[in-house]
Amino acid sequence: MDSQCSSSVGNINSTPISARIESYEGEKKCISDVRRTFCLFVTFDLLFVTLLWIIELNVNGGIQEQLRKEVLEYDYHQSFFDIFLLAVFRFAALILAYAVCKLRHWWAIAITTTITTGFLIVKVVVSKLLSQGAFGYLLPILSFILAWIETWLLDFKVLPQEAGDEIRYLSVQNALDREPLLYPGPVSEGQFYSPPESMLNFHQPLLQYKVSHDP
C-alpha cells in the first residue's frame, strides 16, 4: 500500500513538468502564440493598406480609371500604387522569414523597416502626395506607423518571450536529468509470496506426539 502511494505521488509530481516539456516541444514544431499574433498583425498591415488604397481609388474618380492612371500610367510623384507594393513586400518578406522559416533574429524585419522608412521619407519629400487630399497624408503615415509597430512587436515581444521559454525549457530538462530517484518503484507481488510449508513440517508435531505416548 505504501509503495503504491509513493509511486502515485511520484507520478503526480512529475506530471506537470513533463506536460510543460511536451507542450513546449509541440510549440517548437508548429508556431508559438506570440509569433502567431505577430503574423496576424503583418496580415492586418497588408489588408489595411490595401483597403485604404481601394477607397482612395474609388474616391478620386472610380476604381477602373484610377487603376489605369496609377498602375498602367505609373507616376512616382502622384501614384499611391508603390505604397501598396511596399505593404505587399513587407507581408511577403516577414511571413516568409518568421512564419515559414521561423527565424529567431531581427535582421529580416530590420531590412523591411529600413526600406519602408527610407522609401516613405523620400516619397513624401519628393512627390506631390500632400497636395492630393487626406489620402496623401494617411497612406504614408499609416504605413510608417504599421511598419514600426511590427518592429516593436518582434523585438520586444516575440523574440524575448520565445528566448525565455527556451531557457526555462532547458533548465527544467537539465533538472530532470539530474534528479535522483526519490521514490521507489512499485513492489511486485512476488516479494510478498511465501512458499507453502512442506509436508515434513506439517507432520512433525504428530510424530512427536506419537513418540511421547508410545509405550
Side-chain angles (χ1 to χ4, degrees):
M1 183 68 180
D2 294 337
S3 62
Q4 292 179 356
C5 291
S6 61
S7 62
S8 64
V9 170
N11 293 332
I12 292 173
N13 290 335
S14 61
T15 298
I17 299 178
S18 61
R20 282 188 295 176
I21 292 177
E22 291 176 358
S23 64
Y24 178 79
E25 290 177 348
E27 286 185 357
K28 286 182 68 177
K29 293 179 181 178
C30 55
I31 189 171
S32 63
D33 293 338
V34 66
R35 187 176 290 253
R36 189 181 302 114
T37 303
F38 170 76
C39 294
L40 286 175
F41 188 81
V42 172
T43 306
F44 168 77
D45 176 13
L46 174 62
L47 296 177
F48 188 64
V49 172
T50 303
L51 179 63
L52 286 179
W53 184 52
I54 292 174
I55 294 174
E56 183 270 332
L57 293 175
N58 199 19
V59 168
N60 291 333
I63 295 179
Q64 294 182 353
E65 179 65 23
Q66 288 299 115
L67 278 176
R68 183 183 61 81
K69 289 177 60 178
E70 295 195 13
V71 178
L72 299 179
E73 301 174 1
Y74 171 74
D75 184 4
Y76 175 78
H77 296 85
Q78 296 182 350
S79 178
F80 294 96
F81 179 60
D82 45 14
I83 297 179
F84 165 75
L85 290 181
L86 198 62
V88 173
F89 163 72
R90 286 197 304 273
F91 172 80
L94 296 178
I95 293 297
L96 178 63
Y98 297 108
V100 179
C101 299
K102 298 178 183 178
L103 292 182
R104 294 194 173 187
H105 200 273
W106 48 262
W107 65 263
I109 198 167
I111 293 174
T112 58
T113 304
T114 302
I115 293 176
T116 299
T117 302
F119 181 86
L120 290 175
I121 290 175
V122 172
K123 189 172 181 66
V124 169
V125 172
V126 175
S127 67
K128 302 176 182 178
L129 293 182
L130 300 181
S131 62
Q132 297 187 24
F135 288 99
Y137 296 89
L138 281 177
L139 279 170
I141 292 174
L142 290 177
S143 297
F144 182 85
I145 292 174
L146 291 172
W148 279 96
I149 291 177
E150 291 165 355
T151 304
W152 177 80
L153 279 176
L154 184 78
D155 201 20
F156 290 93
K157 295 294 182 181
V158 179
L159 299 182
Q161 182 169 331
E162 290 184 347
D165 291 341
E166 186 172 5
I167 291 172
R168 285 191 293 271
Y169 165 74
L170 293 176
S171 63
V172 170
Q173 194 175 39
N174 292 333
L176 287 178
D177 293 338
R178 296 193 303 267
E179 183 180 5
L181 298 176
L182 298 177
Y183 304 102
V187 180
S188 62
E189 295 180 358
Q191 297 179 3
F192 296 100
Y193 174 76
S194 59
E197 294 181 351
S198 63
M199 296 297 296
L200 181 61
N201 294 330
F202 178 77
H203 290 289
Q204 189 175 3
L206 295 177
L207 292 174
Q208 293 177 352
Y209 176 80
K210 185 177 180 181
V211 170
S212 61
H213 292 77
D214 193 5

